[in-house]
């Protein structure tokens, strides 16, 4: 292969590698703005989802269940102002954040409990009574 073709091949490889890095960086940027969540199963009948939402007001959180998918949406509105004699600083950060969870089958939507404290949303889900494990007696 002559030097010209080697140069074209190398440039093409570099372009492909660069073009693959762009989606990776974009995904990493989007993922860094998702709220952290912990999922736990307590016993056989209860599930707990904890979502970190620091800087979010309880009134700016919305929970939606549709087609067995629980979606947590929140509006983050932060504004920091510093007023001094010789300068003024105002920083603000606004945005909508959202996180969705596929619910296990048989969750009783009437018994979903959600509470918000210290920047953490805690959602407790229970199985429907008919799906809960039952201890049977032996005769």
């Amino acid at each position: 292969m002559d030097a010209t073709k080697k140069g074209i091949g190398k440039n093409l490889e570099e372009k492909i590698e660069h073009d693959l890095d762009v989606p990776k960086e974009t995904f990493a940027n989007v993922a860094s703005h998702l709220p952290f969540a912990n999922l736990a199963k307590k016993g056989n009948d209860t599930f707990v989802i904890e979502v970190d939402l620091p800087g979010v007001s309880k009134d700016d959180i919305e929970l939606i269940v549709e087609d067995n998918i629980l979606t947590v949406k929140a509006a983050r509105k932060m504004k920091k102002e510093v007023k001094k004699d010789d300068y003024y600083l105002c920083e603000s950060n606004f945005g909508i954040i959202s996180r969705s969870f596929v619910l296990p089958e048989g969750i009783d939507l009437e018994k979903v409990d959600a509470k918000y404290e210290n920047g953490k949303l805690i959602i407790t889900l229970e199985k429907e009574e008919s799906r809960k494990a039952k201890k049977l007696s032996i005769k």
Side-chain angles (χ1 to χ4, degrees):
M1 188 180 279
D2 65 22
T4 308
K5 287 182 181 177
K6 285 182 184 176
I8 292 172
K10 185 175 182 182
N11 288 340
L12 182 60
E13 286 175 18
E14 288 173 356
K15 179 165 179 21
I16 290 171
E17 286 178 17
H18 175 267
D19 289 349
L20 290 174
D21 286 340
V22 171
K24 285 182 199 173
E25 289 172 12
T26 302
F27 180 74
N29 186 33
V30 169
S32 70
H33 290 86
L34 291 175
F36 289 111
N38 295 313
L39 309 171
K41 184 176 180 182
K42 290 188 172 182
N44 291 324
D45 303 321
T46 305
F47 302 89
V48 177
I49 301 172
E50 295 179 358
V51 183
D52 290 335
L53 297 170
V56 173
S57 167
K58 176 182 162 185
D59 297 331
D60 293 328
I61 301 172
E62 182 179 31
L63 294 177
I64 302 164
V65 176
E66 185 176 355
D67 295 330
N68 224 33
I69 296 174
L70 170 68
T71 301
V72 178
K73 289 185 181 180
R76 181 175 286 152
K77 305 171 193 171
M78 293 188 292
K79 186 173 183 179
K80 179 181 173 185
E81 284 186 280
V82 178
K83 295 179 183 180
K84 299 286 182 180
D85 292 336
D86 56 343
Y87 72 91
Y88 172 76
L89 173 67
C90 180
E91 294 182 23
S92 57
N93 184 358
F94 299 93
I96 302 293
I97 52 180
S98 178
R99 188 86 190 253
S100 295
F101 307 90
V102 176
L103 298 177
E105 284 192 35
I107 293 296
D108 188 344
L109 297 180
E110 300 300 318
K111 290 188 178 178
V112 174
D113 180 58
K115 63 182 176 179
Y116 184 67
E117 52 189 36
N118 300 322
K120 187 174 295 233
L121 178 65
I122 302 166
I123 306 163
T124 304
L125 309 159
E126 286 189 38
K127 285 184 181 179
E128 296 170 336
E129 284 299 321
S130 64
R131 293 186 180 243
K132 287 185 178 181
K134 293 182 177 72
K135 207 173 211 182
L136 303 174
S137 63
I138 301 172
K139 295 179 183 178

mmCIF file of all heavy atoms in Angstrom, residues 24-36 52 76 97 99:
data_model
loop_
_atom_site.group_PDB
_atom_site.id
_atom_site.type_symbol
_atom_site.label_atom_id
_atom_site.label_comp_id
_atom_site.label_asym_id
_atom_site.label_seq_id
_atom_site.Cartn_x
_atom_site.Cartn_y
_atom_site.Cartn_z
ATOM 1 N N LYS A 24 -20.498 8.597 23.352
ATOM 2 C CA LYS A 24 -20.109 8.196 24.703
ATOM 3 C C LYS A 24 -20.094 9.403 25.631
ATOM 4 O O LYS A 24 -20.593 9.349 26.745
ATOM 5 C CB LYS A 24 -18.723 7.545 24.694
ATOM 6 C CG LYS A 24 -18.674 6.148 24.145
ATOM 7 C CD LYS A 24 -17.257 5.632 24.257
ATOM 8 C CE LYS A 24 -17.002 4.467 23.354
ATOM 9 N NZ LYS A 24 -15.601 4.064 23.340
ATOM 10 N N GLU A 25 -19.506 10.505 25.176
ATOM 11 C CA GLU A 25 -19.440 11.719 25.988
ATOM 12 C C GLU A 25 -20.840 12.285 26.226
ATOM 13 O O GLU A 25 -21.153 12.734 27.319
ATOM 14 C CB GLU A 25 -18.559 12.763 25.302
ATOM 15 C CG GLU A 25 -17.089 12.408 25.312
ATOM 16 C CD GLU A 25 -16.257 13.348 24.468
ATOM 17 O OE1 GLU A 25 -16.767 14.418 24.053
ATOM 18 O OE2 GLU A 25 -15.089 13.016 24.211
ATOM 19 N N THR A 26 -21.680 12.247 25.187
ATOM 20 C CA THR A 26 -23.046 12.752 25.316
ATOM 21 C C THR A 26 -23.810 11.924 26.334
ATOM 22 O O THR A 26 -24.486 12.470 27.207
ATOM 23 C CB THR A 26 -23.765 12.725 23.954
ATOM 24 O OG1 THR A 26 -23.012 13.506 23.028
ATOM 25 C CG2 THR A 26 -25.177 13.265 24.070
ATOM 26 N N PHE A 27 -23.719 10.598 26.241
ATOM 27 C CA PHE A 27 -24.408 9.726 27.187
ATOM 28 C C PHE A 27 -23.897 9.965 28.607
ATOM 29 O O PHE A 27 -24.666 10.028 29.552
ATOM 30 C CB PHE A 27 -24.246 8.254 26.806
ATOM 31 C CG PHE A 27 -24.935 7.333 27.764
ATOM 32 C CD1 PHE A 27 -26.315 7.226 27.755
ATOM 33 C CD2 PHE A 27 -24.213 6.615 28.693
ATOM 34 C CE1 PHE A 27 -26.963 6.395 28.641
ATOM 35 C CE2 PHE A 27 -24.852 5.782 29.589
ATOM 36 C CZ PHE A 27 -26.236 5.675 29.556
ATOM 37 N N ALA A 28 -22.586 10.108 28.767
ATOM 38 C CA ALA A 28 -22.015 10.346 30.095
ATOM 39 C C ALA A 28 -22.534 11.657 30.671
ATOM 40 O O ALA A 28 -22.840 11.749 31.856
ATOM 41 C CB ALA A 28 -20.494 10.357 30.019
ATOM 42 N N ASN A 29 -22.681 12.676 29.827
ATOM 43 C CA ASN A 29 -23.199 13.965 30.281
ATOM 44 C C ASN A 29 -24.655 13.835 30.722
ATOM 45 O O ASN A 29 -25.044 14.338 31.763
ATOM 46 C CB ASN A 29 -23.060 15.008 29.173
ATOM 47 C CG ASN A 29 -23.441 16.387 29.653
ATOM 48 O OD1 ASN A 29 -23.242 16.731 30.796
ATOM 49 N ND2 ASN A 29 -23.998 17.182 28.745
ATOM 50 N N VAL A 30 -25.463 13.137 29.937
ATOM 51 C CA VAL A 30 -26.876 12.935 30.283
ATOM 52 C C VAL A 30 -26.977 12.107 31.556
ATOM 53 O O VAL A 30 -27.716 12.433 32.471
ATOM 54 C CB VAL A 30 -27.637 12.250 29.124
ATOM 55 C CG1 VAL A 30 -29.015 11.801 29.576
ATOM 56 C CG2 VAL A 30 -27.752 13.196 27.937
ATOM 57 N N ALA A 31 -26.216 11.023 31.640
ATOM 58 C CA ALA A 31 -26.263 10.143 32.809
ATOM 59 C C ALA A 31 -25.845 10.883 34.073
ATOM 60 O O ALA A 31 -26.372 10.617 35.142
ATOM 61 C CB ALA A 31 -25.389 8.922 32.585
ATOM 62 N N SER A 32 -24.923 11.829 33.957
ATOM 63 C CA SER A 32 -24.475 12.560 35.143
ATOM 64 C C SER A 32 -25.563 13.472 35.707
ATOM 65 O O SER A 32 -25.480 13.898 36.843
ATOM 66 C CB SER A 32 -23.219 13.382 34.829
ATOM 67 O OG SER A 32 -23.536 14.462 33.981
ATOM 68 N N HIS A 33 -26.597 13.761 34.925
ATOM 69 C CA HIS A 33 -27.697 14.607 35.389
ATOM 70 C C HIS A 33 -28.891 13.805 35.902
ATOM 71 O O HIS A 33 -29.854 14.371 36.374
ATOM 72 C CB HIS A 33 -28.144 15.560 34.275
ATOM 73 C CG HIS A 33 -27.136 16.622 33.991
ATOM 74 N ND1 HIS A 33 -26.095 16.435 33.125
ATOM 75 C CD2 HIS A 33 -26.982 17.857 34.492
ATOM 76 C CE1 HIS A 33 -25.359 17.523 33.090
ATOM 77 N NE2 HIS A 33 -25.867 18.400 33.910
ATOM 78 N N LEU A 34 -28.845 12.485 35.775
ATOM 79 C CA LEU A 34 -29.921 11.655 36.307
ATOM 80 C C LEU A 34 -29.770 11.571 37.812
ATOM 81 O O LEU A 34 -28.663 11.477 38.326
ATOM 82 C CB LEU A 34 -29.871 10.243 35.712
ATOM 83 C CG LEU A 34 -30.221 10.104 34.246
ATOM 84 C CD1 LEU A 34 -30.000 8.661 33.797
ATOM 85 C CD2 LEU A 34 -31.655 10.510 33.989
ATOM 86 N N PRO A 35 -30.877 11.572 38.535
ATOM 87 C CA PRO A 35 -30.751 11.413 39.986
ATOM 88 C C PRO A 35 -30.340 9.985 40.328
ATOM 89 O O PRO A 35 -30.735 9.038 39.663
ATOM 90 C CB PRO A 35 -32.170 11.710 40.489
ATOM 91 C CG PRO A 35 -33.066 11.510 39.327
ATOM 92 C CD PRO A 35 -32.251 11.772 38.093
ATOM 93 N N PHE A 36 -29.519 9.860 41.359
ATOM 94 C CA PHE A 36 -29.113 8.532 41.818
ATOM 95 C C PHE A 36 -30.302 7.852 42.471
ATOM 96 O O PHE A 36 -31.139 8.492 43.103
ATOM 97 C CB PHE A 36 -27.964 8.633 42.826
ATOM 98 C CG PHE A 36 -26.668 9.045 42.210
ATOM 99 C CD1 PHE A 36 -26.119 10.278 42.488
ATOM 100 C CD2 PHE A 36 -25.994 8.196 41.347
ATOM 101 C CE1 PHE A 36 -24.923 10.675 41.920
ATOM 102 C CE2 PHE A 36 -24.786 8.575 40.769
ATOM 103 C CZ PHE A 36 -24.254 9.820 41.064
ATOM 104 N N ASP A 52 -32.351 10.246 45.051
ATOM 105 C CA ASP A 52 -31.710 11.453 45.562
ATOM 106 C C ASP A 52 -32.131 12.656 44.722
ATOM 107 O O ASP A 52 -31.903 12.674 43.511
ATOM 108 C CB ASP A 52 -30.188 11.318 45.521
ATOM 109 C CG ASP A 52 -29.658 10.321 46.527
ATOM 110 O OD1 ASP A 52 -30.351 10.086 47.539
ATOM 111 O OD2 ASP A 52 -28.558 9.778 46.321
ATOM 112 N N ARG A 76 -35.776 21.122 39.185
ATOM 113 C CA ARG A 76 -34.742 21.664 40.066
ATOM 114 C C ARG A 76 -34.584 23.141 39.753
ATOM 115 O O ARG A 76 -34.338 23.524 38.613
ATOM 116 C CB ARG A 76 -33.424 20.924 39.848
ATOM 117 C CG ARG A 76 -32.314 21.412 40.755
ATOM 118 C CD ARG A 76 -31.072 20.602 40.617
ATOM 119 N NE ARG A 76 -31.308 19.315 41.274
ATOM 120 C CZ ARG A 76 -30.692 18.201 40.925
ATOM 121 N NH1 ARG A 76 -29.871 18.178 39.924
ATOM 122 N NH2 ARG A 76 -30.930 17.079 41.569
ATOM 123 N N ILE A 97 -35.630 16.948 35.722
ATOM 124 C CA ILE A 97 -34.966 15.656 35.784
ATOM 125 C C ILE A 97 -36.034 14.579 35.883
ATOM 126 O O ILE A 97 -37.115 14.813 36.416
ATOM 127 C CB ILE A 97 -33.970 15.576 36.954
ATOM 128 C CG1 ILE A 97 -34.629 15.984 38.266
ATOM 129 C CG2 ILE A 97 -32.750 16.396 36.692
ATOM 130 C CD1 ILE A 97 -33.716 15.923 39.455
ATOM 131 N N ARG A 99 -36.667 10.083 36.058
ATOM 132 C CA ARG A 99 -36.136 8.726 36.184
ATOM 133 C C ARG A 99 -37.323 7.776 36.180
ATOM 134 O O ARG A 99 -38.319 8.022 36.850
ATOM 135 C CB ARG A 99 -35.356 8.622 37.495
ATOM 136 C CG ARG A 99 -34.584 7.366 37.726
ATOM 137 C CD ARG A 99 -33.202 7.439 37.108
ATOM 138 N NE ARG A 99 -32.586 6.132 37.137
ATOM 139 C CZ ARG A 99 -31.608 5.776 37.944
ATOM 140 N NH1 ARG A 99 -31.112 6.627 38.805
ATOM 141 N NH2 ARG A 99 -31.106 4.567 37.882
#
